Structures are given as structure tokens and as C-alpha cells.
Amino acid sequence: MSVFAPVPLVSGIAAPLLRANVDTDAIIPSREIKGVGKTGLADGLFAGWRYLEPGSRVPDPDFILNDAAFARAPILLAGENFGCGSSREHAVWALHEYGFRAVIAPSFAPIFRGNCVTNGIIPVILDAAAILAITAAGGPVTIDLLAQTVTSGDVAAPFAIDTEAKAMLAQGLDAIDLTARHAAAIAAFHIADRIARPWIYLEATS
């Protein structure tokens, strides 16, 4: 069963937010978190930069996501160490609810990158020069997860992603679902292992 919509391919406009060290509190300030669920967070995404006053909903015209050309872009171009700070998963939930399905950055905070994988956002690592070239191209960007490529205009860049993360994102699976696909092999192992090492299994006694 998919836990989020699979993202084997993401294509669309990419919003450039090329700031380094954007932390999870900048992505979703704590005052914007009203509950423990994954929804109701999109309006608070980047609230400290997106609105003129804390707690208000008056758009700051200078913030990139308030530019009509980048409204609801599915791809975010970011600076190095994106998602640093706390392990707040709400940051990824807010990005996902807003509509982002991929973030391209030179580097990510490890926990944030893992949260992306388990919530249906492709974390793509490209060097800063490639990200600047994509920004300069200004056109639609296509991220082909299966081919592990990013293309935009004349820019074509391969990216690396580990096999498990790739499978989870491409199929909309969490770690439990991914393991459950091997249920038959796991059961066969248990049967064989119980015969080979019966002393390690606790048997019910009457």
C-alpha cells in the first residue's frame, strides 16, 4: 500500500531559494505548528520570509514563492545544508502539502533528507554550479528518478541516490512496506533457521 503518491518523475517550474543553511524553523516556524498531523501546514511554509509580519498572511512581494511565476512550483532549488537545525518532520510535511515534490540542493541535513524520502519528496544533490545553471535556464525542470537525471534546457545532470530511497520514492512505500515485499523470503528464512538453530526460539509451554 502506498503511503504517499509515488514520484518516479517530477516536472515543472523550479523556484530558486538559493540560501545556505536554511533550517527547519525557517521552513516552518514553531508558531505555525498547531497540531501533530501532516496537514494544515502549507500556509505556514517559510512564514517568516513569506509574510510581512509574524503571524500575518500579508505576502512579502520580494519573497520568491510570492512571485506568480513560481507559485506552486513542484521543485525547489536550494542552497547548501538545506533542512539543518532540528529534526522537525513538520518541515517536510509543510513542503509536501504546499506542493513540492523535489528539492535540489548541494547538500542536505541528513535527518531532513531521510524525512524527505519517507514523505514523498525527492532530495536531489547537485553541485552549486549545476543549480545555478538550472536557475539561469529559467525553464521547466524534469527530474527522472528512475534514470537519476535532472534536465532543464541545455543542462543535463546525473545524480546519485541510494537504492532503497529510490525504490521508496518511486513506489510510494515506507520502510515497513519495503520490507513487507520480501515477506515470502523472510518466512522461508524463519522456517530454515528454526530447523538449523531451534534453541534460539522460545516455544510456548503449557
Side-chain angles (χ1 to χ4, degrees):
M1 182 179 71
S2 295
V3 294
F4 53 79
V7 282
L9 186 143
V10 178
S11 187
I13 293 296
L17 184 65
L18 305 182
R19 306 183 189 190
N21 304 313
V22 172
D23 64 31
T24 52
D25 195 54
I27 297 171
I28 179 76
S30 58
R31 66 175 179 275
E32 300 290 341
I33 301 172
K34 311 296 185 187
V36 296
K38 295 185 177 183
T39 59
L41 299 166
D43 284 348
L45 181 68
F46 296 120
W49 299 335
R50 193 169 153 201
Y51 306 114
L52 289 175
E53 300 290 341
S56 83
R57 288 296 183 263
V58 180
D60 182 339
D62 292 330
F63 186 60
I64 191 69
L65 296 187
N66 293 326
D67 183 332
F70 300 107
R72 301 296 173 180
I75 300 168
L76 184 68
L77 300 172
E80 63 180 346
N81 198 30
F82 188 79
C84 59
S86 75
S87 59
R88 185 181 298 170
E89 195 170 9
H90 298 76
V92 173
W93 296 344
L95 287 163
H96 190 275
E97 188 180 45
Y98 184 84
F100 286 114
R101 294 296 178 267
V103 180
I104 303 175
S107 61
F108 293 92
I111 293 175
F112 176 87
R113 187 166 185 261
N115 287 339
C116 284
V117 171
T118 56
N119 287 282
I121 293 179
I122 306 173
V124 178
I125 295 178
L126 292 183
D127 62 42
I131 293 173
L132 287 175
I134 292 170
T135 302
V141 176
T142 296
I143 300 170
D144 188 330
L145 176 64
L146 302 181
Q148 296 181 212
T149 59
V150 178
T151 55
S152 180
D154 294 332
V155 180
F159 66 90
I161 189 167
D162 67 73
T163 303
E164 183 175 284
K166 181 177 178 178
M168 291 170 67
L169 289 162
Q171 300 174 52
L173 303 175
D174 64 16
I176 294 174
D177 291 325
L178 200 63
T179 301
R181 294 190 310 169
H182 304 288
I186 293 169
F189 170 83
H190 280 164
I191 292 171
D193 194 55
R194 185 178 289 272
I195 294 170
R197 303 185 303 162
W199 60 88
I200 70 167
Y201 292 90
L202 296 176
E203 301 294 349
T205 58
S206 57

